[in-house]
Amino acid sequence: MRLTFLGTGSAMPTGERGQTGILLESDGERLLVDCGSGVLHALTRTDVGYEGVDTILLTHHHLDHVADLLPLLKARWLAGEETLTVVGPRGTADLVTDLLDVHDYLKGRVDLDLKEVGPSKSFTLKGFDIAAMETIHSMYCLAYRFTPVGTDGPVFTFSGDSEAFRELAEFAEGSAVLAHDCSFPDEIDVSNHPTPSQLGEALSGLDIGRVYLTHLYPHTNNKHREMLDSIGKHYEGDVRFAEDGLSLGIDEE
């Protein structure tokens, strides 16, 4: 399984980080997780490109996770691609339909398949067995746990947007890689997103290969060392900052 961070930023642009998007690859299958602003351009810098991605899985519907959804659809249409599947939590079908009502010239340009999923049961998508759980966020949001289909691992877990809490951390236990929202340093009083100390407390004592911090607001600039130290007071595992363009095999060191 291969993971590429296409966007590791937030709703407040920095010029260095795009909004949320992760490309997953396994045995020739490709799955795009979230599609915020900048993700379409980031895809063009990969060997996969937007022509190579026909399925998108959304964690939730905030703009910084869906802004490039229709631009991707249009780019695929103009490139001669004929299909696009969009999967996500409840309301995903209405979201895409409403967007197409605004940009109605895009209707019918590709064969569009809209599906909704939830935490009640696992599902299979583009070479991955996927489990979901609801997070703690200002909008209904799902975290996802990905395993190559028909195998026992390696496992990748993505928190989506969420406060840090023990049940979500336990959902990720045993993962080779966890990408977790860590939007702000400790001095920011925030809800719906975690600070480093909150994340460290939630992860304390759990077995996870590597944790990558993502969904980074500008407030985290020049705070990386102290954020890692704060997490390290509670959690002894390997924690790193995600960066746009970082590509890695899930089972690599």
Side-chain angles (χ1 to χ4, degrees):
M1 188 197 309
R2 187 154 202 89
L3 157 69
T4 302
F5 289 100
L6 301 173
T8 59
S10 68
M12 296 177 67
T14 66
E16 298 176 352
R17 298 179 185 273
Q19 294 179 350
T20 300
I22 295 174
L23 177 64
L24 293 178
E25 302 174 75
S26 179
D27 289 335
E29 299 278 16
R30 291 91 172 244
L31 177 62
L32 177 62
V33 184
D34 283 341
C35 195
S37 178
V39 168
L40 178 58
H41 285 283
L43 271 173
T44 68
R45 294 190 287 269
T46 70
D47 292 336
V48 172
Y50 52 80
E51 301 96 331
V53 172
D54 64 8
T55 304
I56 305 168
L57 177 63
L58 302 177
T59 60
H60 66 300
H61 301 148
H62 274 150
L63 191 59
D64 54 317
H65 295 253
V66 303
D68 270 5
L69 191 56
L70 286 197
L72 175 59
L73 184 156
K74 182 174 181 178
R76 285 182 57 77
W77 160 48
L78 294 175
E81 302 296 333
E82 298 180 349
T83 63
L84 185 66
T85 298
V86 182
V87 183
R90 63 186 184 224
T92 293
D94 285 343
L95 170 73
V96 178
T97 300
D98 290 347
L99 287 171
L100 287 171
D101 284 342
V102 175
H103 304 278
D104 59 358
Y105 74 98
L106 292 175
K107 288 182 178 179
R109 300 298 188 178
V110 299
D111 183 7
L112 192 59
D113 188 13
L114 305 177
K115 300 177 181 179
E116 296 184 357
V117 295
S120 59
K121 62 179 181 179
S122 299
F123 58 98
T124 299
L125 188 65
K126 298 300 290 185
F128 295 96
D129 291 327
I130 304 172
M133 75 167 293
E134 184 178 353
T135 73
I136 299 175
H137 193 47
S138 55
M139 175 182 285
Y140 183 75
C141 180
L142 296 176
Y144 295 114
R145 180 181 171 102
F146 302 86
T147 308
V149 67
T151 73
D152 294 326
V155 175
F156 168 62
T157 301
F158 179 41
S159 71
D161 282 10
S162 182
E163 296 182 14
F165 61 105
R166 187 65 176 183
E167 291 81 2
L168 178 54
E170 290 174 346
F171 178 70
E173 186 168 23
S175 297
V177 172
L178 164 64
H180 202 294
D181 180 352
C182 196
S183 292
F184 296 97
D186 282 329
E187 62 265 26
I188 304 297
D189 184 15
V190 64
S191 60
N192 300 308
H193 298 285
T195 61
S197 60
Q198 293 166 348
L199 180 56
E201 290 171 0
L203 294 173
S204 178
L206 297 183
D207 180 17
I208 297 169
R210 281 165 290 161
V211 178
Y212 283 92
L213 308 182
T214 189
H215 203 269
L216 302 166
Y217 272 78
H219 307 66
T220 65
N221 290 349
N222 303 314
K223 299 281 187 177
H224 288 193
R225 183 69 264 163
E226 65 186 66
M227 291 174 68
L228 292 175
D229 288 345
S230 180
I231 293 172
K233 292 177 182 178
H234 308 280
Y235 174 68
E236 296 180 353
D238 184 349
V239 183
R240 313 178 189 187
F241 276 83
E243 301 290 343
D244 286 22
L246 174 64
S247 186
L248 55 110
I250 293 298
D251 53 355
E252 294 175 356
E253 292 298 328

Coordinates of all heavy atoms in Angstrom, one line a residue, residues 53-110:
V53 N -7.5 8.7 -11.4 CA -8.3 8.6 -10.2 C -9.8 8.7 -10.6 O -10.2 9.8 -11.0 CB -8.0 9.8 -9.2 CG1 -8.9 9.8 -8.0 CG2 -6.5 9.6 -8.7
D54 N -10.5 7.6 -10.4 CA -11.9 7.6 -10.8 C -12.8 7.5 -9.6 O -14.0 7.4 -9.7 CB -12.2 6.6 -11.8 CG -12.0 5.1 -11.3 OD1 -11.7 4.9 -10.1 OD2 -12.0 4.2 -12.2
T55 N -12.2 7.4 -8.3 CA -13.0 7.2 -7.1 C -12.5 8.1 -6.0 O -11.3 8.1 -5.7 CB -13.0 5.8 -6.7 OG1 -13.4 4.9 -7.8 CG2 -13.9 5.5 -5.5
I56 N -13.5 8.8 -5.4 CA -13.2 9.7 -4.3 C -14.0 9.3 -3.1 O -15.2 9.1 -3.2 CB -13.5 11.2 -4.6 CG1 -12.8 11.6 -5.9 CG2 -13.2 12.1 -3.5 CD1 -13.4 12.9 -6.5
L57 N -13.3 9.2 -1.9 CA -14.0 8.9 -0.7 C -13.9 10.2 0.2 O -12.7 10.6 0.5 CB -13.3 7.7 0.0 CG -13.8 7.4 1.4 CD1 -15.3 6.9 1.4 CD2 -12.9 6.2 2.0
L58 N -15.0 10.7 0.6 CA -15.0 11.9 1.5 C -15.2 11.6 2.9 O -16.0 10.7 3.3 CB -16.2 12.8 1.0 CG -16.2 13.3 -0.4 CD1 -17.4 14.1 -0.7 CD2 -14.9 14.1 -0.8
T59 N -14.5 12.3 3.8 CA -14.7 12.2 5.2 C -15.9 13.0 5.7 O -16.7 12.6 6.5 CB -13.4 12.7 6.0 OG1 -13.1 14.0 5.7 CG2 -12.2 11.8 5.7
H60 N -16.0 14.2 5.1 CA -17.1 15.1 5.4 C -17.2 16.2 4.4 O -16.4 16.2 3.4 CB -17.0 15.7 6.8 CG -15.9 16.6 7.1 ND1 -14.6 16.2 6.9 CD2 -15.8 17.9 7.5 CE1 -13.8 17.3 7.2 NE2 -14.5 18.3 7.5
H61 N -18.1 17.2 4.5 CA -18.4 18.1 3.5 C -18.0 19.5 3.7 O -18.4 20.4 2.9 CB -20.0 18.0 3.2 CG -20.4 16.6 2.9 ND1 -21.7 16.2 3.2 CD2 -19.8 15.6 2.3 CE1 -21.9 15.0 2.8 NE2 -20.7 14.6 2.2
H62 N -17.1 19.8 4.6 CA -16.6 21.1 4.7 C -15.8 21.5 3.5 O -15.2 20.6 2.8 CB -15.7 21.2 6.0 CG -16.4 21.6 7.2 ND1 -16.0 21.2 8.5 CD2 -17.6 22.3 7.4 CE1 -16.9 21.6 9.4 NE2 -17.8 22.3 8.8
L63 N -15.8 22.7 3.1 CA -15.3 23.2 1.8 C -13.8 22.8 1.6 O -13.4 22.5 0.5 CB -15.5 24.7 1.7 CG -15.2 25.3 0.3 CD1 -16.2 24.7 -0.7 CD2 -15.4 26.8 0.4
D64 N -13.0 22.9 2.7 CA -11.6 22.5 2.5 C -11.4 21.0 2.3 O -10.2 20.6 2.2 CB -10.8 23.1 3.7 CG -11.3 22.6 5.1 OD1 -12.5 22.6 5.3 OD2 -10.5 22.3 5.9
H65 N -12.4 20.3 2.2 CA -12.3 18.8 1.9 C -13.0 18.5 0.6 O -12.9 17.3 0.2 CB -12.9 18.0 3.1 CG -12.1 18.1 4.3 ND1 -11.2 17.1 4.8 CD2 -12.0 19.1 5.2 CE1 -10.6 17.5 5.9 NE2 -11.1 18.8 6.2
V66 N -13.7 19.4 0.0 CA -14.5 19.1 -1.2 C -14.3 20.1 -2.3 O -14.9 20.0 -3.4 CB -16.0 18.9 -0.9 CG1 -16.2 17.8 0.2 CG2 -16.7 20.2 -0.4
A67 N -13.6 21.2 -2.1 CA -13.5 22.3 -3.0 C -13.1 21.9 -4.4 O -13.5 22.6 -5.4 CB -12.6 23.4 -2.5
D68 N -12.3 20.9 -4.6 CA -11.8 20.6 -5.9 C -12.6 19.4 -6.5 O -12.2 18.8 -7.5 CB -10.3 20.2 -5.9 CG -9.4 21.4 -6.1 OD1 -9.9 22.5 -6.3 OD2 -8.2 21.2 -6.2
L69 N -13.7 19.1 -5.9 CA -14.5 18.0 -6.4 C -15.0 18.2 -7.8 O -14.8 17.4 -8.7 CB -15.7 17.7 -5.5 CG -16.5 16.5 -5.6 CD1 -15.6 15.2 -5.5 CD2 -17.6 16.4 -4.6
L70 N -15.7 19.3 -8.1 CA -16.2 19.6 -9.4 C -15.0 20.0 -10.4 O -15.1 19.6 -11.6 CB -17.2 20.7 -9.4 CG -18.6 20.2 -8.9 CD1 -19.7 21.2 -9.3 CD2 -19.0 18.8 -9.3
P71 N -14.0 20.7 -9.9 CA -12.8 20.9 -10.8 C -12.2 19.6 -11.3 O -11.8 19.4 -12.4 CB -11.9 21.7 -10.0 CG -12.8 22.5 -9.1 CD -13.9 21.6 -8.8
L72 N -12.2 18.6 -10.4 CA -11.7 17.3 -10.8 C -12.6 16.6 -11.8 O -12.1 16.0 -12.8 CB -11.5 16.4 -9.6 CG -11.1 14.9 -9.8 CD1 -9.8 14.8 -10.6 CD2 -11.0 14.2 -8.5
L73 N -13.9 16.7 -11.6 CA -14.8 16.1 -12.5 C -14.7 16.8 -13.9 O -14.6 16.1 -14.9 CB -16.3 16.3 -12.0 CG -17.4 15.7 -12.8 CD1 -18.6 15.5 -11.9 CD2 -17.9 16.6 -14.0
K74 N -14.5 18.1 -13.9 CA -14.4 18.8 -15.2 C -13.1 18.4 -15.9 O -13.1 18.2 -17.1 CB -14.5 20.3 -15.0 CG -14.4 21.1 -16.3 CD -14.6 22.6 -16.1 CE -14.5 23.3 -17.4 NZ -14.7 24.8 -17.3
A75 N -12.0 18.3 -15.1 CA -10.7 18.0 -15.7 C -10.8 16.5 -16.3 O -10.2 16.3 -17.4 CB -9.6 18.0 -14.7
R76 N -11.4 15.6 -15.6 CA -11.5 14.3 -16.2 C -12.4 14.3 -17.4 O -12.1 13.6 -18.4 CB -12.1 13.3 -15.1 CG -11.1 13.0 -14.0 CD -11.7 12.0 -13.0 NE -12.2 10.8 -13.6 CZ -11.5 9.8 -14.0 NH1 -10.2 9.8 -13.9 NH2 -12.0 8.7 -14.5
W77 N -13.5 15.0 -17.5 CA -14.3 15.1 -18.7 C -13.5 15.7 -19.8 O -13.5 15.1 -20.9 CB -15.5 16.0 -18.4 CG -16.1 16.6 -19.6 CD1 -16.5 15.9 -20.7 CD2 -16.5 18.0 -19.8 NE1 -17.1 16.8 -21.7 CE2 -17.1 18.1 -21.1 CE3 -16.4 19.1 -19.0 CZ2 -17.5 19.3 -21.6 CZ3 -16.8 20.3 -19.6 CH2 -17.4 20.4 -20.9
L78 N -12.7 16.8 -19.6 CA -12.0 17.4 -20.7 C -10.8 16.5 -21.1 O -10.4 16.6 -22.3 CB -11.4 18.7 -20.2 CG -12.5 19.8 -20.0 CD1 -11.8 21.1 -19.4 CD2 -13.2 20.1 -21.2
A79 N -10.4 15.6 -20.3 CA -9.3 14.7 -20.6 C -9.8 13.4 -21.3 O -9.0 12.5 -21.7 CB -8.5 14.3 -19.4
G80 N -11.1 13.3 -21.4 CA -11.7 12.2 -22.1 C -12.1 11.0 -21.2 O -12.5 9.9 -21.7
E81 N -11.9 11.2 -19.9 CA -12.3 10.1 -19.0 C -13.9 10.2 -18.8 O -14.5 11.2 -18.9 CB -11.7 10.3 -17.6 CG -10.1 10.4 -17.7 CD -9.6 9.1 -18.1 OE1 -10.2 8.0 -17.9 OE2 -8.4 9.1 -18.7
E82 N -14.4 9.0 -18.6 CA -15.9 8.9 -18.7 C -16.6 8.6 -17.4 O -17.8 8.6 -17.4 CB -16.2 7.7 -19.7 CG -15.7 8.0 -21.1 CD -16.0 6.9 -22.1 OE1 -16.5 5.9 -21.7 OE2 -15.9 7.2 -23.3
T83 N -15.9 8.3 -16.3 CA -16.5 7.9 -15.1 C -16.0 8.7 -13.9 O -14.8 9.1 -13.9 CB -16.4 6.4 -14.8 OG1 -15.0 6.1 -14.6 CG2 -17.0 5.6 -16.0
L84 N -16.8 8.8 -12.8 CA -16.3 9.3 -11.5 C -17.3 8.7 -10.5 O -18.5 8.9 -10.6 CB -16.3 10.8 -11.5 CG -15.7 11.4 -10.2 CD1 -14.2 11.1 -10.0 CD2 -15.9 12.9 -10.1
T85 N -16.7 8.1 -9.5 CA -17.5 7.7 -8.3 C -17.1 8.5 -7.1 O -15.9 8.7 -6.8 CB -17.1 6.2 -8.0 OG1 -17.5 5.4 -9.1 CG2 -17.9 5.7 -6.8
V86 N -18.1 9.0 -6.4 CA -18.0 9.8 -5.2 C -18.7 9.1 -4.1 O -19.9 8.9 -4.1 CB -18.5 11.2 -5.4 CG1 -18.2 12.0 -4.1 CG2 -17.9 11.9 -6.6
V87 N -17.9 8.7 -3.0 CA -18.5 8.0 -1.9 C -18.2 8.9 -0.6 O -17.2 9.5 -0.5 CB -17.7 6.7 -1.7 CG1 -18.3 5.8 -0.6 CG2 -17.8 5.9 -3.0
G88 N -19.2 8.8 0.3 CA -19.0 9.6 1.5 C -20.1 9.4 2.5 O -21.0 8.6 2.3
P89 N -20.1 10.2 3.6 CA -21.1 10.0 4.6 C -22.4 10.6 4.1 O -22.6 11.1 3.0 CB -20.5 10.9 5.8 CG -19.7 11.9 5.1 CD -19.1 11.2 3.9
R90 N -23.4 10.4 5.0 CA -24.8 10.8 4.6 C -24.8 12.2 4.1 O -24.1 13.1 4.6 CB -25.7 10.6 5.8 CG -25.4 11.5 6.9 CD -26.2 11.2 8.2 NE -25.9 12.2 9.2 CZ -25.8 11.8 10.5 NH1 -25.9 10.5 10.8 NH2 -25.6 12.7 11.4
G91 N -25.6 12.5 3.1 CA -25.6 13.8 2.5 C -24.7 14.0 1.3 O -24.8 15.0 0.6
T92 N -23.9 13.0 1.0 CA -22.9 13.1 -0.1 C -23.6 13.2 -1.5 O -23.3 14.1 -2.3 CB -21.9 11.9 -0.1 OG1 -21.1 12.0 1.0 CG2 -21.1 12.0 -1.4
A93 N -24.7 12.4 -1.7 CA -25.4 12.5 -2.9 C -26.0 13.8 -3.1 O -26.0 14.4 -4.2 CB -26.4 11.4 -3.0
D94 N -26.6 14.4 -2.1 CA -27.3 15.7 -2.2 C -26.2 16.8 -2.4 O -26.5 17.7 -3.2 CB -28.0 16.0 -0.9 CG -29.4 15.2 -0.8 OD1 -29.8 14.7 -1.8 OD2 -29.9 15.2 0.3
L95 N -25.1 16.7 -1.8 CA -24.0 17.6 -2.0 C -23.6 17.7 -3.5 O -23.6 18.8 -4.0 CB -22.8 17.3 -1.1 CG -21.5 18.1 -1.4 CD1 -21.6 19.5 -0.9 CD2 -20.3 17.4 -0.9
V96 N -23.3 16.6 -4.1 CA -22.8 16.6 -5.4 C -24.0 17.0 -6.4 O -23.7 17.8 -7.3 CB -22.3 15.2 -5.8 CG1 -21.9 15.2 -7.3 CG2 -21.1 14.8 -4.9
T97 N -25.2 16.6 -6.1 CA -26.3 17.0 -6.9 C -26.5 18.5 -6.9 O -26.8 19.1 -7.9 CB -27.6 16.2 -6.5 OG1 -27.4 14.8 -6.6 CG2 -28.8 16.6 -7.3
D98 N -26.5 19.0 -5.7 CA -26.7 20.5 -5.6 C -25.5 21.3 -6.2 O -25.8 22.3 -6.8 CB -26.7 20.8 -4.1 CG -28.0 20.4 -3.4 OD1 -28.9 19.9 -4.1 OD2 -28.1 20.4 -2.2
L99 N -24.3 20.8 -6.1 CA -23.2 21.5 -6.8 C -23.4 21.4 -8.3 O -23.2 22.4 -9.0 CB -21.9 20.8 -6.5 CG -21.3 21.0 -5.1 CD1 -20.1 20.1 -4.8 CD2 -20.9 22.5 -4.9
L100 N -23.9 20.3 -8.8 CA -24.2 20.2 -10.3 C -25.3 21.1 -10.7 O -25.4 21.5 -11.9 CB -24.4 18.8 -10.7 CG -23.1 17.9 -10.7 CD1 -23.5 16.4 -10.9 CD2 -22.1 18.4 -11.7
D101 N -26.3 21.3 -9.8 CA -27.4 22.3 -10.1 C -26.8 23.7 -10.3 O -27.4 24.4 -11.1 CB -28.4 22.3 -9.0 CG -29.3 21.0 -9.0 OD1 -29.4 20.4 -10.1 OD2 -29.9 20.7 -8.0
V102 N -25.8 24.0 -9.6 CA -25.2 25.4 -9.8 C -24.4 25.4 -11.0 O -24.4 26.4 -11.8 CB -24.3 25.7 -8.5 CG1 -23.6 27.0 -8.8 CG2 -25.2 25.8 -7.3
H103 N -23.6 24.3 -11.3 CA -22.7 24.3 -12.5 C -23.4 23.2 -13.4 O -22.8 22.2 -13.7 CB -21.3 23.9 -12.1 CG -20.7 24.8 -11.1 ND1 -20.1 26.0 -11.4 CD2 -20.6 24.7 -9.7 CE1 -19.7 26.6 -10.3 NE2 -20.0 25.8 -9.2
D104 N -24.6 23.6 -13.9 CA -25.3 22.5 -14.6 C -24.7 22.1 -16.0 O -25.1 21.1 -16.5 CB -26.8 23.0 -14.8 CG -27.0 24.3 -15.6 OD1 -25.9 24.9 -16.0 OD2 -28.1 24.7 -15.8
Y105 N -23.8 22.9 -16.5 CA -23.2 22.5 -17.8 C -22.3 21.2 -17.6 O -21.9 20.6 -18.6 CB -22.3 23.6 -18.4 CG -21.0 23.9 -17.7 CD1 -19.8 23.4 -18.2 CD2 -21.0 24.6 -16.5 CE1 -18.6 23.6 -17.5 CE2 -19.8 24.9 -15.9 CZ -18.6 24.4 -16.4 OH -17.4 24.6 -15.8
L106 N -22.0 20.9 -16.3 CA -21.2 19.7 -16.1 C -22.1 18.4 -16.0 O -21.6 17.3 -15.9 CB -20.4 19.8 -14.8 CG -19.3 20.8 -14.9 CD1 -18.6 21.0 -13.5 CD2 -18.2 20.4 -15.9
K107 N -23.4 18.6 -15.9 CA -24.3 17.4 -15.8 C -24.2 16.5 -17.0 O -24.2 17.0 -18.2 CB -25.8 17.9 -15.7 CG -26.1 18.5 -14.3 CD -27.6 18.9 -14.2 CE -27.9 19.4 -12.9 NZ -29.4 19.8 -12.8
G108 N -24.0 15.3 -16.8 CA -24.0 14.3 -17.8 C -22.6 14.2 -18.6 O -22.5 13.4 -19.5
R109 N -21.7 15.0 -18.1 CA -20.4 14.9 -18.8 C -19.6 13.7 -18.6 O -18.8 13.2 -19.4 CB -19.5 16.2 -18.4 CG -20.2 17.5 -18.8 CD -20.4 17.7 -20.3 NE -20.9 19.0 -20.6 CZ -21.1 19.5 -21.8 NH1 -20.9 18.7 -22.8 NH2 -21.5 20.7 -22.0
V110 N -19.8 13.1 -17.3 CA -19.2 11.8 -17.0 C -20.3 11.0 -16.4 O -21.3 11.5 -15.9 CB -18.0 11.9 -16.0 CG1 -16.9 12.8 -16.6 CG2 -18.4 12.5 -14.7

